[in-house]
Amino acid sequence: MNTETPGFRFAERKDTPLILKFIKDLARYEKMENQVSAQEQELEEWIFDKQKAEVLFVTLDGKEIGFALFFHNFSTFLGKAGIYLEDLYVMPEYRGKGYGKLILRKLASIAVERGCGRLEWWCLDWNKPSIDFYLSLGAVPMNDWTVYRITGDTLQKLAQK
């Protein structure tokens, strides 16, 4: 890890362009850039006006080098909220230096402070470096579960029935 001390800060409204940049950078890494339709205006509305998600930056010498976008979900089995990590991204030149682990450690700390029962996320099946990293932290894959999704026209049609 770098000799400079990393820090954390929560995003502010003025950070919306940077949030979108990190989202697009992550999507590029995941080979999914063509799926990003989010615009600054939408992110600002949903993150800051409606407060449906939070963004935490990891900083080094005052520069944002990575981020985590997360929100609360709820476990009926546990009877308490959890934190769902939607995006975790560290700029390529800072990877492999412990910053991803620091972000997850900070999110775990936030979850504990807030009384949450768990911290969870999805990972693409092909992303072996991330999978190995998560396993090294003690994360457990949920192999018995399949993610289902309804979007776009299918979502609209279902809502009308």
Side-chain angles (χ1 to χ4, degrees):
M1 185 165 317
N2 200 311
T3 56
E4 299 165 7
T5 305
F8 294 98
R9 73 171 184 85
F10 281 95
E12 301 172 25
R13 188 176 297 273
K14 67 182 171 79
D15 296 313
T16 304
L18 180 58
I19 295 168
L20 183 56
K21 178 193 178 310
F22 278 161
I23 290 168
K24 288 179 177 180
D25 290 348
L26 173 62
R28 190 175 306 110
Y29 170 75
E30 292 179 336
K31 302 172 181 69
M32 301 172 79
E33 190 174 16
N34 63 333
Q35 294 182 34
V36 176
S37 63
Q39 300 292 318
E40 287 181 23
Q41 173 183 333
E42 291 169 317
L43 292 175
E44 190 171 333
E45 175 185 355
W46 285 92
I47 295 170
F48 299 106
D49 296 338
K50 295 182 178 182
Q51 298 181 348
K52 296 300 182 183
E54 298 175 67
V55 174
L56 181 69
F57 291 114
V58 61
T59 63
L60 192 59
D61 198 24
K63 176 185 177 185
E64 294 80 8
I65 62 167
F67 88 124
L69 187 146
F70 64 97
F71 54 88
H72 286 277
N73 57 13
F74 191 83
S75 168
T76 56
F77 287 13
L78 295 177
K80 55 177 75 174
I83 286 181
Y84 181 80
L85 173 60
E86 177 68 23
D87 287 340
L88 171 65
Y89 177 77
V90 175
M91 294 170 64
E93 60 269 32
Y94 296 98
R95 292 184 192 148
K97 298 179 180 179
Y99 298 114
K101 185 175 184 178
L102 282 177
I103 293 170
L104 285 171
R105 183 176 284 148
K106 182 67 173 175
L107 288 175
S109 174
I110 291 169
V112 169
E113 287 171 16
R114 295 180 183 183
C116 296
R118 63 185 176 200
L119 169 62
E120 60 189 354
W121 61 91
W122 298 348
C123 182
L124 292 166
D125 290 339
W126 61 260
N127 193 345
K128 183 160 174 35
S130 292
I131 292 168
D132 291 344
F133 167 61
Y134 298 143
L135 292 174
S136 78
L137 298 176
V140 178
M142 304 297 293
N143 295 327
D144 295 339
W145 296 84
T146 300
V147 176
Y148 291 89
R149 178 177 291 162
I150 296 175
T151 62
D153 291 342
T154 305
L155 179 64
Q156 294 296 324
K157 288 177 187 172
L158 181 60
Q160 294 172 359
K161 294 183 180 180

